[in-house]
Amino acid sequence: MRLAEEYDAAQDRGEVSKGRDGPGAGVSQGNAKATASDLGLARKDIHEARQLRDAEKAEPGLIKRSLDG
């Protein structure tokens, strides 16, 4: 869940590319924004982290109960 929070915040700050930016987008002063791959992250992992975060937000304690069960 922390991965999702930090990655989304970095996108909001313009530090990493958003998937919809397209090729060459985000070029600022000659430097393109980092991508998930550049950071050693798989887009699938970010997606799964977002799903966990959203599920926990919708139903607090869900993940702990799942792990305990």
Side-chain angles (χ1 to χ4, degrees):
M1 292 185 310
R2 177 76 184 264
L3 169 63
E5 293 295 331
E6 294 296 333
Y7 195 82
D8 288 350
Q11 283 184 320
D12 290 344
R13 292 188 302 267
E15 297 171 350
V16 296
S17 177
K18 295 182 179 183
R20 62 184 172 273
D21 286 344
V27 176
S28 173
Q29 300 171 351
N31 296 318
K33 294 179 186 178
T35 64
S37 180
D38 292 336
L39 301 173
L41 301 170
R43 291 177 58 196
K44 179 182 175 187
D45 294 335
I46 297 168
H47 174 70
E48 290 172 352
R50 287 174 175 149
Q51 288 180 314
L52 288 172
R53 176 198 60 199
D54 294 346
E56 181 68 18
K57 189 180 286 188
E59 189 177 334
L62 174 70
I63 294 174
K64 180 172 181 2
R65 289 192 305 275
S66 296
L67 293 173
D68 290 346

mmCIF file of all heavy atoms in Angstrom, residues 7 10 15-17 34-42 46:
data_model
loop_
_atom_site.group_PDB
_atom_site.id
_atom_site.type_symbol
_atom_site.label_atom_id
_atom_site.label_comp_id
_atom_site.label_asym_id
_atom_site.label_seq_id
_atom_site.Cartn_x
_atom_site.Cartn_y
_atom_site.Cartn_z
ATOM 1 N N TYR A 7 4.232 6.189 -5.080
ATOM 2 C CA TYR A 7 4.309 6.311 -6.539
ATOM 3 C C TYR A 7 3.282 7.319 -7.048
ATOM 4 O O TYR A 7 3.606 8.160 -7.898
ATOM 5 C CB TYR A 7 4.111 4.946 -7.201
ATOM 6 C CG TYR A 7 4.543 4.956 -8.646
ATOM 7 C CD1 TYR A 7 5.882 4.809 -8.995
ATOM 8 C CD2 TYR A 7 3.615 5.130 -9.667
ATOM 9 C CE1 TYR A 7 6.284 4.839 -10.319
ATOM 10 C CE2 TYR A 7 4.011 5.153 -10.993
ATOM 11 C CZ TYR A 7 5.350 5.015 -11.317
ATOM 12 O OH TYR A 7 5.741 5.054 -12.629
ATOM 13 N N ALA A 10 4.477 10.768 -6.284
ATOM 14 C CA ALA A 10 5.547 11.172 -7.198
ATOM 15 C C ALA A 10 4.964 11.570 -8.556
ATOM 16 O O ALA A 10 5.439 12.522 -9.183
ATOM 17 C CB ALA A 10 6.559 10.041 -7.355
ATOM 18 N N GLU A 15 7.313 13.953 -10.784
ATOM 19 C CA GLU A 15 8.637 13.340 -10.708
ATOM 20 C C GLU A 15 8.749 12.078 -11.553
ATOM 21 O O GLU A 15 9.850 11.713 -11.964
ATOM 22 C CB GLU A 15 8.985 13.018 -9.253
ATOM 23 C CG GLU A 15 9.082 14.242 -8.388
ATOM 24 C CD GLU A 15 9.205 13.939 -6.916
ATOM 25 O OE1 GLU A 15 9.025 12.784 -6.494
ATOM 26 O OE2 GLU A 15 9.490 14.885 -6.163
ATOM 27 N N VAL A 16 7.652 11.389 -11.755
ATOM 28 C CA VAL A 16 7.650 10.194 -12.602
ATOM 29 C C VAL A 16 6.538 10.326 -13.632
ATOM 30 O O VAL A 16 5.563 11.040 -13.439
ATOM 31 C CB VAL A 16 7.466 8.879 -11.792
ATOM 32 C CG1 VAL A 16 8.638 8.647 -10.861
ATOM 33 C CG2 VAL A 16 6.182 8.864 -11.018
ATOM 34 N N SER A 17 6.714 9.611 -14.706
ATOM 35 C CA SER A 17 5.772 9.675 -15.815
ATOM 36 C C SER A 17 4.452 9.010 -15.452
ATOM 37 O O SER A 17 4.413 8.051 -14.694
ATOM 38 C CB SER A 17 6.390 8.965 -17.016
ATOM 39 O OG SER A 17 5.494 8.939 -18.091
ATOM 40 N N ALA A 34 11.128 9.946 -15.142
ATOM 41 C CA ALA A 34 11.403 8.533 -14.897
ATOM 42 C C ALA A 34 10.128 7.722 -15.078
ATOM 43 O O ALA A 34 9.025 8.214 -14.861
ATOM 44 C CB ALA A 34 11.940 8.349 -13.490
ATOM 45 N N THR A 35 10.288 6.486 -15.478
ATOM 46 C CA THR A 35 9.156 5.569 -15.598
ATOM 47 C C THR A 35 9.264 4.518 -14.493
ATOM 48 O O THR A 35 10.291 4.415 -13.816
ATOM 49 C CB THR A 35 9.166 4.860 -16.957
ATOM 50 O OG1 THR A 35 10.343 4.039 -17.036
ATOM 51 C CG2 THR A 35 9.145 5.850 -18.115
ATOM 52 N N ALA A 36 8.213 3.718 -14.339
ATOM 53 C CA ALA A 36 8.243 2.636 -13.356
ATOM 54 C C ALA A 36 9.437 1.728 -13.630
ATOM 55 O O ALA A 36 10.171 1.337 -12.715
ATOM 56 C CB ALA A 36 6.938 1.859 -13.387
ATOM 57 N N SER A 37 9.651 1.402 -14.879
ATOM 58 C CA SER A 37 10.762 0.535 -15.267
ATOM 59 C C SER A 37 12.113 1.145 -14.888
ATOM 60 O O SER A 37 13.009 0.447 -14.421
ATOM 61 C CB SER A 37 10.707 0.264 -16.770
ATOM 62 O OG SER A 37 11.769 -0.557 -17.157
ATOM 63 N N ASP A 38 12.244 2.440 -15.080
ATOM 64 C CA ASP A 38 13.485 3.127 -14.705
ATOM 65 C C ASP A 38 13.776 2.968 -13.211
ATOM 66 O O ASP A 38 14.929 2.964 -12.788
ATOM 67 C CB ASP A 38 13.407 4.622 -15.023
ATOM 68 C CG ASP A 38 13.367 4.920 -16.505
ATOM 69 O OD1 ASP A 38 13.833 4.088 -17.309
ATOM 70 O OD2 ASP A 38 12.851 6.003 -16.864
ATOM 71 N N LEU A 39 12.718 2.876 -12.432
ATOM 72 C CA LEU A 39 12.858 2.759 -10.979
ATOM 73 C C LEU A 39 12.952 1.317 -10.511
ATOM 74 O O LEU A 39 13.023 1.041 -9.317
ATOM 75 C CB LEU A 39 11.655 3.429 -10.295
ATOM 76 C CG LEU A 39 11.473 4.912 -10.621
ATOM 77 C CD1 LEU A 39 10.165 5.425 -10.037
ATOM 78 C CD2 LEU A 39 12.658 5.720 -10.114
ATOM 79 N N GLY A 40 12.934 0.379 -11.463
ATOM 80 C CA GLY A 40 13.027 -1.034 -11.114
ATOM 81 C C GLY A 40 11.710 -1.622 -10.642
ATOM 82 O O GLY A 40 11.691 -2.629 -9.939
ATOM 83 N N LEU A 41 10.611 -0.978 -11.011
ATOM 84 C CA LEU A 41 9.286 -1.433 -10.594
ATOM 85 C C LEU A 41 8.513 -1.961 -11.795
ATOM 86 O O LEU A 41 8.630 -1.426 -12.894
ATOM 87 C CB LEU A 41 8.492 -0.274 -9.981
ATOM 88 C CG LEU A 41 9.103 0.391 -8.759
ATOM 89 C CD1 LEU A 41 8.341 1.669 -8.422
ATOM 90 C CD2 LEU A 41 9.091 -0.572 -7.588
ATOM 91 N N ALA A 42 7.721 -2.990 -11.554
ATOM 92 C CA ALA A 42 6.831 -3.492 -12.592
ATOM 93 C C ALA A 42 5.500 -2.763 -12.461
ATOM 94 O O ALA A 42 5.005 -2.547 -11.346
ATOM 95 C CB ALA A 42 6.627 -4.994 -12.435
ATOM 96 N N ILE A 46 2.687 -2.065 -9.124
ATOM 97 C CA ILE A 46 2.060 -0.800 -8.736
ATOM 98 C C ILE A 46 0.546 -0.949 -8.777
ATOM 99 O O ILE A 46 -0.162 -0.514 -7.861
ATOM 100 C CB ILE A 46 2.530 0.351 -9.643
ATOM 101 C CG1 ILE A 46 4.039 0.563 -9.480
ATOM 102 C CG2 ILE A 46 1.771 1.635 -9.330
ATOM 103 C CD1 ILE A 46 4.657 1.460 -10.530
#
